[in-house]
Amino acid sequence: MSRRPLVRECPPTSWYFRQPRYLRYMSREITSIFVGAYCVLLVVGLQRLSAGPAAWDGFLLALRSPASVVFQFLALVAAVYHAATWFNATQKAMPLQIGEDFVPGNIISGAHYVAWGVLSVVVLFLAGVF
Amino acid sequence: MTPLKERLVQLEVLRYYPDTDTEAHFQTYEVVCQEEWVVLDALNKIKADIDPTLNYRWSCHMAVCGSCGMMINGEPKLSCHAFLREYEGVIRVEPLAHFPVERDLVTAPDDFMEKLKRVKPYVIPKEIKPISEGEYKQTPAQLMKFRQYSMCINCMLCYAACPQYGLTPSFIGPAALTLAHRYNQDSRDGGRKERQEVVATHEGVWECTFVGACSEVCPAHVDPASALQQMKITSSIDWIVEHLIPGGKS
Ligand code: SF4
Ligand code: FES
């Protein structure tokens, strides 16, 4: 009998519809577009700031437009989701062994959430929110 | 004793016969099964009573040999570990995704075997000592450091789950890279540098985008995704030491 294996290709553009877990993965990856776009917005803001008070006021005004508010909301949701997937991954990437036992994964991820909360409060404090 | 419950099960099985077929096709079988059977039992019943030409691999029937992996309703599973009671309606059985189909449900594992060899999955002793000096000792803590990663049964379900392997077949892939990690973590081993030539490359850990599917389907709870992320970190540290620290050597 001849050997004639049949190759079944992985569809290059539609594979992520094969499994819900692939869609979850793609949604995590897509959040980076919003995070990246928001970084660009911050850079533009810096550039406006350096261009003088009039340019800066114009930038602030543009931030308040409905389209901009919608974008910022979406970017916030995407960044929070992205951060959560990242923190949940830390327990896999950085397991901690003490003696024979490993520290439970949720403690490692949990520590990251706590650090995130504390740092967010510090940033808000420095920004004069409190 | 109460009689065991029976159930009529419909299976849609992918068939491919290399001598005559140019494409695969599905064939439907109806088979009376007992309620607590697994998909492999149903296939065995088909082969015994309905169609002796059906081909598939199995050996242990207890989730240790790793030879009965198949796609069951699109999910990579050990067929000896896929209970019929967990499925409703027609059960679709296909050969493992991302591997060439040799015949029916039998796939060709050659590529995986080749990759396993490349990561040198054996202890490369740090120092060779004469037998008279006795065994290489290890504490329980040193054992625990790699034990989980040594549980792999080479079933290749993780390769069937990994879209990166499907799209880029040169990717060394989850199980082989995880075995490299298993030996790197072993206190008796000194072969990490040799393995890095395969591990810290585009075909190695850097092809992984952390879909995480490998760990979700692994029947032995090896968690290949965790091994690969750890190797990305250590490989990055190597790079920093080598390129950014004056006089640093990885
Ligand atoms: S890592 Fe898990 S899924 Fe992959 S070959 Fe080993 S046992 Fe199978
Ligand atoms: S038959 Fe051995 S793992 Fe299923």
Side-chain angles (χ1 to χ4, degrees):
Chain A
M1 197 180 86
S2 62
R3 224 186 140 180
R4 214 158 51 83
L6 174 79
V7 176
R8 299 171 84 209
E9 297 284 344
C10 183
T13 48
S14 59
W15 58 268
Y16 36 83
F17 292 116
R18 282 182 160 184
Q19 275 287 335
R21 69 165 69 91
Y22 296 161
L23 281 175
R24 256 182 284 137
Y25 160 74
M26 285 309 269
S27 62
R28 181 193 83 195
E29 297 298 278
I30 283 169
T31 55
S32 60
I33 297 176
F34 289 92
V35 175
Y38 192 78
C39 290
V40 172
L41 183 71
L42 288 182
V43 173
V44 171
L46 272 181
Q47 194 273 335
R48 296 282 80 198
L49 186 62
S50 68
W56 175 243
D57 288 343
F59 176 71
L60 289 184
L61 198 64
L63 283 188
R64 282 186 213 111
S65 74
S68 166
V69 170
V70 169
F71 166 72
Q72 288 173 72
F73 177 73
L74 288 178
L76 178 67
V77 172
V80 169
Y81 180 65
H82 195 98
T85 60
W86 180 262
F87 291 146
N88 294 344
T90 54
Q91 54 182 286
K92 288 192 181 270
M94 301 190 292
L96 194 60
Q97 190 184 6
I98 297 179
E100 284 171 41
D101 301 317
F102 282 88
V103 175
N106 49 17
I107 294 191
I108 295 179
S109 293
H112 282 83
Y113 281 101
V114 170
W116 183 24
V118 170
L119 286 174
S120 299
V121 170
V122 170
V123 169
L124 290 175
F125 177 75
L126 290 178
V129 173
F130 305 117
Chain B
M1 217 174 85
T2 46
L4 293 169
K5 266 218 272 180
E6 290 191 332
R7 173 183 151 195
L8 184 70
V9 174
Q10 273 194 325
L11 289 119
E12 205 174 49
V13 183
L14 196 91
R15 304 295 311 268
Y16 171 69
Y17 187 62
D19 277 3
T20 50
D21 296 352
T22 48
E23 271 185 52
H25 64 275
F26 281 100
Q27 185 166 350
T28 306
Y29 298 99
E30 286 197 349
V31 53
V32 178
C33 298
Q34 292 185 358
E35 189 61 30
E36 79 279 13
W37 276 9
V38 291
V39 170
L40 178 60
D41 295 320
L43 293 174
N44 283 343
K45 182 99 191 275
I46 292 172
K47 188 159 175 95
D49 295 350
I50 306 174
D51 183 352
T53 68
L54 182 64
N55 266 264
Y56 50 95
R57 284 201 186 101
W58 70 285
S59 177
C60 69
H61 198 292
M62 51 194 280
V64 295
C65 76
S67 54
C68 68
M70 301 169 191
M71 306 301 283
I72 298 175
N73 284 352
E75 177 84 354
K77 286 263 185 197
L78 295 178
S79 55
C80 70
H81 208 225
F83 286 88
L84 292 174
R85 57 171 176 262
E86 283 164 19
Y87 299 91
E88 281 169 15
V90 184
I91 304 173
R92 181 174 267 226
V93 186
E94 295 167 83
L96 274 188
H98 308 154
F99 289 96
V101 183
E102 203 77 77
R103 179 171 162 174
D104 297 341
L105 301 172
V106 176
T107 51
D110 310 41
D111 183 54
F112 173 58
M113 296 300 164
E114 203 44 51
K115 283 168 175 164
L116 264 187
K117 263 198 272 175
R118 283 176 62 193
V119 301
K120 308 196 181 188
Y122 38 82
V123 171
I124 302 173
K126 246 187 223 144
E127 32 164 354
I128 313 268
K129 11 181 236 187
I131 292 181
S132 58
E133 277 185 33
E135 57 280 78
Y136 294 87
K137 289 198 176 140
Q138 206 158 45
T139 65
Q142 286 170 329
L143 169 69
M144 291 313 285
K145 199 166 177 207
F146 67 81
R147 189 172 173 276
Q148 170 192 352
Y149 305 117
S150 70
M151 293 303 186
C152 175
I153 59 173
N154 295 349
C155 65
M156 305 185 291
L157 297 194
C158 50
Y159 284 74
C162 175
Q164 289 300 350
Y165 179 64
L167 296 165
T168 314
S170 61
F171 177 33
I172 304 288
L177 287 167
T178 300
L179 263 193
H181 186 60
R182 174 249 173 275
Y183 287 96
N184 289 346
Q185 298 283 86
D186 191 316
S187 58
R188 299 162 297 182
D189 185 89
R192 179 168 177 270
K193 205 157 180 226
E194 287 177 46
R195 292 189 198 100
Q196 280 302 87
E197 287 166 24
V198 179
V199 167
T201 63
H202 286 298
E203 294 179 350
V205 287
W206 298 115
E207 187 62 47
C208 167
T209 54
F210 198 7
V211 180
C214 50
S215 295
E216 288 181 33
V217 303
C218 176
H221 309 291
V222 171
D223 202 353
S226 115
L228 268 71
Q229 306 328 302
Q230 289 169 49
M231 283 194 286
K232 285 182 192 170
I233 295 181
T234 50
S235 301
S236 305
I237 293 173
D238 284 353
W239 190 90
I240 291 170
V241 170
E242 195 177 338
H243 292 90
L244 301 182
I245 298 183
K249 268 199 196 103
S250 69

